[in-house]
Amino acid sequence: DVAASMPALRTLLAATRYRGIFMIEFKFDERDGLFKIIELNARPFWLIGHVERAGVDLPWMSYLDAQGLDVPRPAPYQVGRYGMYEILDAAAIGRALAGRRRPDGPVLKPWLLGDKALFWWSDPMPALGGLGQSVARRLGRAMDRVRGSATPSVEAGDASNPAVTAR
């Protein structure tokens, strides 16, 4: 339960006089059993559409607030709805399976029923662009490894490497 972290968060937001959409990330500290704030982003986040589909329309609420209009309290929202960032979630599942362990949390239901951050049938380009970037990064790292293994290590003092000078 992150409730114990809320006073510190409220103090931080009040001290900076921040108002608007933000995303906060907590990490559980096993030493004292408390959730600690590790990151606060003062901007909309990847899963803002998921939050809206669960029943809290943050962009509309922010618009009303920016116009100086009354912002209604959110109605009860849907708890337990799946939301996912497809590329990172797929990578985490792949790492778990490659390590011969079961991925954390449910796997099939989010993919079949969950709200996606990138892929929409009505606009597939963000997903295709994100996938292209991921593939390019992987290929770049693979090429770096290939080049690195073909070049003798300077640190190893390889005398056949012209970059290594006598000491």
Side-chain angles (χ1 to χ4, degrees), residues 5-19 22-24 37-42:
S5 302
M6 297 313 291
L9 173 60
R10 287 189 178 99
T11 299
L12 174 65
L13 294 173
T16 59
R17 297 194 324 230
Y18 182 77
R19 58 188 294 160
F22 66 92
M23 186 280 301
I24 188 161
I37 298 169
I38 62 169
E39 183 177 8
L40 181 107
N41 292 305

Side-chain angles (χ1 to χ4, degrees), residues 19-20 34 36 39 45 47 49 57 61 68 74 83-84 91-92 96-98 111 115 122 136 138 140-141 144 156 160:
R19 58 188 294 160
L34 298 174
K36 307 290 176 71
E39 183 177 8
F45 43 93
L47 291 171
D57 193 345
M61 294 168 73
M84 63 185 310
L97 296 175
W111 282 95
D115 299 322
S122 61
R138 282 194 91 111
R141 285 194 297 260
D144 289 344
S160 67

Side-chain angles (χ1 to χ4, degrees), residues 58 118 152:
L58 294 175
L118 292 178

Side-chain angles (χ1 to χ4, degrees), residues 21 29 36 54 58 60 76 84 87 103 110 113 121 127 136 146 148 163-164 167:
I21 295 174
D29 187 341
K36 307 290 176 71
L58 294 175
W60 179 245
M84 63 185 310
I87 294 170
L113 305 174
W121 285 109
V146 168
V164 177
R167 298 180 203 237

Side-chain angles (χ1 to χ4, degrees), residues 40 45 48 69 82 89 120 134 143 148 158:
L40 181 107
F45 43 93
I48 196 165
L69 302 172
Y82 294 109
D89 288 359
W120 294 78
S134 293
M143 292 302 295
D158 185 346

Side-chain angles (χ1 to χ4, degrees), residues 7-164:
L9 173 60
R10 287 189 178 99
T11 299
L12 174 65
L13 294 173
T16 59
R17 297 194 324 230
Y18 182 77
R19 58 188 294 160
I21 295 174
F22 66 92
M23 186 280 301
I24 188 161
E25 188 173 344
F26 297 92
K27 184 163 178 90
F28 183 73
D29 187 341
E30 292 181 0
R31 298 172 297 183
D32 59 13
L34 298 174
F35 283 92
K36 307 290 176 71
I37 298 169
I38 62 169
E39 183 177 8
L40 181 107
N41 292 305
R43 58 177 162 70
F45 43 93
W46 281 107
L47 291 171
I48 196 165
H50 164 67
V51 173
E52 187 273 329
R53 286 185 297 284
V56 181
D57 193 345
L58 294 175
W60 179 245
M61 294 168 73
S62 293
Y63 169 78
L64 294 173
D65 184 54
Q67 299 302 314
L69 302 172
D70 290 336
V71 178
R73 283 209 164 277
Y77 53 89
Q78 188 179 9
V79 176
R81 185 179 184 105
Y82 294 109
M84 63 185 310
Y85 182 83
E86 301 92 304
I87 294 170
L88 296 179
D89 288 359
I93 292 167
R95 283 191 303 274
L97 296 175
R100 296 180 182 246
R101 58 183 174 79
R102 187 186 185 294
D104 295 332
V107 175
L108 290 179
K109 276 189 178 181
W111 282 95
L112 297 174
L113 305 174
D115 299 322
K116 314 299 187 287
L118 292 178
F119 184 77
W120 294 78
W121 285 109
S122 61
D123 184 12
M125 291 311 291
L128 295 174
L131 183 59
Q133 288 174 343
S134 293
V135 169
R137 271 194 302 274
R138 282 194 91 111
L139 288 174
R141 285 194 297 260
M143 292 302 295
D144 289 344
R145 283 193 301 272
V146 168
R147 283 189 216 114
S149 65
T151 305
S153 171
V154 172
E155 288 79 23
D158 185 346
S160 67
N161 187 338
V164 177

